[in-house]
Coordinates of all heavy atoms in Angstrom, one line a residue:
A726 N -4.5 8.7 13.7 CA -4.4 10.0 14.3 C -4.8 11.1 13.4 O -5.6 12.1 13.8 CB -3.0 10.3 14.8
S749 N -5.4 11.8 3.0 CA -5.2 10.8 1.9 C -4.5 9.6 2.5 O -3.5 9.7 3.2 CB -4.2 11.5 0.9 OG -3.3 10.7 0.3
E793 N 17.5 4.9 -8.0 CA 18.3 3.7 -8.3 C 18.9 3.8 -9.6 O 18.3 4.0 -10.6 CB 17.3 2.5 -8.3 CG 17.0 1.9 -6.9 CD 16.0 0.8 -7.0 OE1 16.0 0.0 -8.0 OE2 15.3 0.6 -6.0
I830 N 31.4 12.3 -3.7 CA 30.0 12.2 -3.1 C 29.6 13.6 -2.8 O 30.3 14.4 -2.2 CB 30.0 11.4 -1.9 CG1 30.5 9.9 -2.2 CG2 28.6 11.4 -1.2 CD1 29.6 9.2 -3.1
I835 N 22.7 20.2 5.8 CA 21.6 19.6 6.7 C 21.3 18.2 6.3 O 21.2 17.3 7.2 CB 20.4 20.6 6.6 CG1 20.7 21.9 7.1 CG2 19.2 19.9 7.4 CD1 19.7 23.0 6.9
F961 N 5.1 15.3 -3.3 CA 4.4 16.5 -2.9 C 5.3 17.7 -2.9 O 5.0 18.8 -3.6 CB 3.7 16.3 -1.5 CG 2.6 15.4 -1.6 CD1 2.7 14.2 -0.8 CD2 1.4 15.5 -2.3 CE1 1.6 13.3 -0.8 CE2 0.4 14.7 -2.3 CZ 0.4 13.5 -1.5
D983 N 10.9 -6.4 13.4 CA 10.1 -7.3 14.0 C 9.5 -6.8 15.3 O 10.2 -5.9 15.9 CB 11.0 -8.6 14.3 CG 11.6 -9.2 13.1 OD1 10.9 -9.1 12.1 OD2 12.7 -9.8 13.2
L1006 N -2.4 25.8 9.2 CA -2.4 25.9 7.7 C -3.7 26.2 7.1 O -3.7 27.0 6.1 CB -2.0 24.5 7.1 CG -0.6 23.9 7.5 CD1 -0.3 22.5 7.0 CD2 0.6 24.9 7.1

Side-chain angles (χ1 to χ4, degrees):
S749 150
E793 276 179 32
I830 299 300
I835 294 168
F961 291 114
D983 299 328
L1006 297 177

